[in-house]
Amino acid sequence: MKIDSEIRIISLRHDANIGVDFSLDNRLYTYNDSIRYPLMSVFKLHVAVAALQRMEA
């Protein structure tokens, strides 16, 4: 899969451990999902979206 090689290139270029999961056209894609990553910004994103939705209401 092309996306796997692109993510691997980015990971190597930046000397980073990257784990990616996403859904597109009802298909689930994963890359390097065997590592347990801390939530960090992923968790903050959902909190920020919820806060902005409340502010708009």
Side-chain angles (χ1 to χ4, degrees):
M1 174 184 274
K2 185 179 178 189
I3 190 86
D4 287 348
S5 61
E6 291 180 16
I7 294 171
R8 187 171 60 71
I9 290 168
I10 293 169
S11 175
L12 292 172
R13 185 181 305 145
H14 296 283
D15 191 29
N17 288 325
I18 298 174
V20 178
D21 289 327
F22 64 94
S23 176
L24 180 65
D25 296 329
N26 293 322
R27 291 180 57 197
L28 179 62
Y29 296 90
T30 61
Y31 176 82
N32 202 18
D33 62 342
S34 61
I35 299 172
R36 291 187 57 130
Y37 296 96
L39 292 175
M40 296 182 187
S41 294
V42 174
F43 178 75
K44 290 184 262 184
L45 171 68
H46 299 289
V47 172
V49 169
L52 289 172
Q53 287 175 336
R54 284 188 178 186
M55 289 171 56
E56 288 180 340

